[in-house]
């Protein structure tokens, strides 16, 4: 028998959770071709850069990564280099011209063709560029499994307590600043039975939490006449052994009463919603084509808070959208003050190819954008501090994910007698906690994947710090339905 050569693939994932999911899918497909994952480009036979085009900075990162890889290829000509994701979709031709060593450009809607292309490259063919946006093969909504769907969900990429599941791709909203509809294509939802099947497989491989992914999950299934998003949540919550469900991202205009009601009904649904507001000014929202106003937004949040008191709300904000005045910006700060987001992601507006706002006049200067971003982040840091300090002394159910950065030995504070673990509360707050080396405390390894109560002792800028309740030693925790309960 001839011995098969071990091949290695490194996938660099940039951008959003959608890319993390696609990387998992590519890892699985390549595993079938004999590729083991590696973190080191030096050891890899194939490197894939899974790219993001959402903002200018993200795109620059892609270009510098590809530049570095092509330089490595000059010394190791057998190295195969591929680029996937949004920049691949958008800039296929440019990339091929600019990077001579590039072997494969794979668009966002043809990921399932990766194995065929890699086989061809191994046989000396190429370079190959495929950025077709075929209608039929992203998700098959007839109930039959499409080519893309025949990949069983977990293999090489298995492991992990918290996993992503894509429920839809693309977007039909055309916000004026956004490149997504052009690089990910139109909105397509995946049949609920495929989603539930994948969640089941993830849970049997050890997942306790899933995050359902889509650009606008609230409009799930509408176009295809599948079930509604709240119904999908209900179906997913029926998976035994699954403890927590999260979802991203919701568009405020589509946040229905039925979804608000789902927070009332479905216990597994975590008390957190990421609801990008983008701006607190009605006139900016209008020009962004967001189709809601600040009042609508605040009313939606009030409704959510009335059914789920204590629900954490996080958001995305763009500063310096064309025509944003000082007054518009102040309206955004005022909205932050009124809503009291847990945390937020804030971005300086950047022109994107194809997105209509690139043609809007009255661009905000780079200096003003920087200054506004700084002010907004400072402002929010104060609000986050206030919220987090108010949590000191409370007990939170934390789903333990593993050792924290410090617990893994990073940084000077490393203390091997006090391993530090990390996990998340239902509100998606990061909670780190120390374990004392004592017979009463649990073995760190056994805690991973368990939901345990943690007493919050301190608020940090982006996380909380706690400890296990002293009078509830591990020996007395009982594992019940995957949860550890104090006896
Ligand atoms: N410039 C700056 N930020 C942007 N985002 C999307 N497009 C742009 C752009 N052109 C931000 C939005 C979105 C998040 C994922 O990225 O806030 O919610
Ligand atoms: Fe982009 Fe708007 Fe679609 Fe979100 S909803 S992906 S911001 S176009």
């Amino acid at each position: 028998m001839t011995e098969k050569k071990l091949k290695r693939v490194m996938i660099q994932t940039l951008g959003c959770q959608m890319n993390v999911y696609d990387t998992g899918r590519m890892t699985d497909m390549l595993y079938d071709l004999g590729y083991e994952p590696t973190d080191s480009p030096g050891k890899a036979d194939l490197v894939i850069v899974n790219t993001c085009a959402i903002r200018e900075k993200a795109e620059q990162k892609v270009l510098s990564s590809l530049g570095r890889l092509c330089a490595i290829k000059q010394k190791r000509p057998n190295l195969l280099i591929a680029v996937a994701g949004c920049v691949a979709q958008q800039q296929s031709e440019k990339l091929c011209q600019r990077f001579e060593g590039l072997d494969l450009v794979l668009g966002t809607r043809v990921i399932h063709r990766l194995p065929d292309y890699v086989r061809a490259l191994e046989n000396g063919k190429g370079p190959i560029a495929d950025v077709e946006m075929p209608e039929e093969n992203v998700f098959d909504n007839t109930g039959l499994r499409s080519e893309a769907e025949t990949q069983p969900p977990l293999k090489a990429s298995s492991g992990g307590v918290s996993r992503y599941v894509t429920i839809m791709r693309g977007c039909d909203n055309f916000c004026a600043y956004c490149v997504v509809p052009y690089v990910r294509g139109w909105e397509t939802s995946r049949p609920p039975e495929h989603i539930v099947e994948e969640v089941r497989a993830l849970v049997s491989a050890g997942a306790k939490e899933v995050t359902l992914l889509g650009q606008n999950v609230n409009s799930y299934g509408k176009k295809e006449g599948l079930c509604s998003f709240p119904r999908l949540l209900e179906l997913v919550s029926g998976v035994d052994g699954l403890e927590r469900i999260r979802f991203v991202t919701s568009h405020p205009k589509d946040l229905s009463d039925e979804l608000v009601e789902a927070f009332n009904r479905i216990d597994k649904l975590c008390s957190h919603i990421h609801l990008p507001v983008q701006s607190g000014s009605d006139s900016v929202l209008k020009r962004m084509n967001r189709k809601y106003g600040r009042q609508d937004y605040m009313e939606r949040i009030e409704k959510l808070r009335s059914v789920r008191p204590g629900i954490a709300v996080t958001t995305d904000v763009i500063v310096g959208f064309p025509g944003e005045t000082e007054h518009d910006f102040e309206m955004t700060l005022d909205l932050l003050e009124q809503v009291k987001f847990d945390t937020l992601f804030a971005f300086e507006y950047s022109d994107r190819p194809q997105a209509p706002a690139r043609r809007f006049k009255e661009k905000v200067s780079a200096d003003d954008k920087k200054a506004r971003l700084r002010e907004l982040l400072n402002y929010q840091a104060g609000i986050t501090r206030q919220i987090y300090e108010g949590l000191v002394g409370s007990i939170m159910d934390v789903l333990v994910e593993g050792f924290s950065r410090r617990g893994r030995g990073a940084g000077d504070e490393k203390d091997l007698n006090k391993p530090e673990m990390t996990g998340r509360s239902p509100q998606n707050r990061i909670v780190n906690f120390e374990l004392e080396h004592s017979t009463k405390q649990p073995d760190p390894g056994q805690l991973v994947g368990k939901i345990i109560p943690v007493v919050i002792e301190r608020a940090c800028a982006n996380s909380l710090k706690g400890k296990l309740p002293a009078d509830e030693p591990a020996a007395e925790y009982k594992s019940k339905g995957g949860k550890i309960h104090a006896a």
Side-chain angles (χ1 to χ4, degrees), residues 48-307:
I48 304 177
V49 187
N50 195 5
T51 62
C52 171
I54 194 93
R55 288 171 297 274
E56 206 178 330
K57 268 190 191 156
E59 196 178 309
Q60 282 160 1
K61 229 174 165 176
V62 173
L63 301 181
S64 56
S65 247
L66 285 174
R68 271 196 306 273
L69 287 169
C70 289
I72 296 179
K73 188 168 178 152
Q74 299 214 314
K75 290 189 206 124
R76 287 180 48 213
N78 289 337
L79 175 69
L80 296 175
I81 303 176
V83 54
C86 295
V87 179
Q89 184 68 47
Q90 190 174 47
Q91 312 235 6
S92 151
E93 269 176 40
K94 258 200 204 156
L95 292 175
C96 293
Q97 281 165 9
R98 181 161 167 181
F99 298 103
E100 233 180 64
L102 198 54
D103 296 287
L104 173 63
V105 179
L106 191 70
T108 54
R109 294 209 164 210
V110 291
I111 290 178
H112 58 287
R113 296 180 186 163
L114 177 68
D116 291 343
Y117 294 145
V118 170
R119 258 188 235 112
L121 293 173
E122 286 177 340
N123 291 326
K125 303 219 173 75
I128 301 167
D130 182 359
V131 290
E132 198 195 342
M133 286 213 167
E135 225 159 296
E136 83 286 0
N137 66 12
V138 176
F139 298 126
D140 177 0
N141 296 312
T142 62
L144 294 168
R145 302 187 106 210
S146 70
E147 193 188 347
E149 292 292 296
T150 50
Q151 295 298 325
L154 273 169
K155 272 182 257 152
S157 61
S158 66
V161 165
S162 179
R163 302 297 306 253
Y164 296 129
V165 177
T166 290
I167 64 164
M168 57 207 296
R169 289 187 187 269
C171 181
D172 293 341
N173 283 314
F174 296 92
C175 300
Y177 49 81
C178 187
V179 75
V180 167
Y182 309 96
V183 291
R184 293 253 167 199
W186 55 96
E187 196 177 285
T188 321
S189 296
R190 191 178 178 195
E193 56 275 24
H194 291 186
I195 296 167
V196 171
E197 191 184 330
E198 182 157 323
V199 172
R200 246 190 229 116
L202 292 167
V203 169
S204 59
K208 293 287 189 274
E209 172 180 283
V210 291
T211 304
L212 306 181
L213 300 179
Q215 303 298 341
N216 179 15
V217 294
N218 305 128
S219 59
Y220 170 83
K222 277 188 189 155
K223 247 165 69 173
E224 294 87 357
L226 301 170
C227 68
S228 69
F229 180 59
R231 174 71 190 137
L232 177 70
L233 289 172
E234 210 166 80
L235 292 171
V236 170
S237 76
V239 173
D240 279 344
L242 179 70
E243 298 278 348
R244 292 180 167 184
I245 306 171
R246 304 183 183 279
F247 56 85
V248 278
T249 292
S250 303
H251 193 305
K253 80 174 164 58
D254 295 317
L255 205 163
S256 64
D257 286 345
E258 195 193 351
L259 182 62
V260 174
E261 177 49 30
F263 276 97
N264 198 14
R265 245 186 12 255
I266 304 173
D267 289 344
K268 290 183 183 179
L269 205 49
C270 286
S271 284
H272 169 232
I273 190 160
H274 185 67
L275 199 60
V277 67
Q278 312 298 1
S279 169
S281 152
D282 280 336
S283 77
V284 173
L285 287 171
K286 195 159 195 319
R287 277 179 295 117
M288 284 179 166
N289 193 29
R290 291 290 287 177
K291 303 193 177 88
Y292 57 84
R294 63 181 271 141
Q295 197 53 36
D296 308 327
Y297 184 90
M298 290 198 288
E299 280 168 16
R300 296 275 90 196
I301 298 220
E302 245 169 63
K303 274 198 177 172
L304 278 168
R305 285 181 168 153
S306 71
V307 298

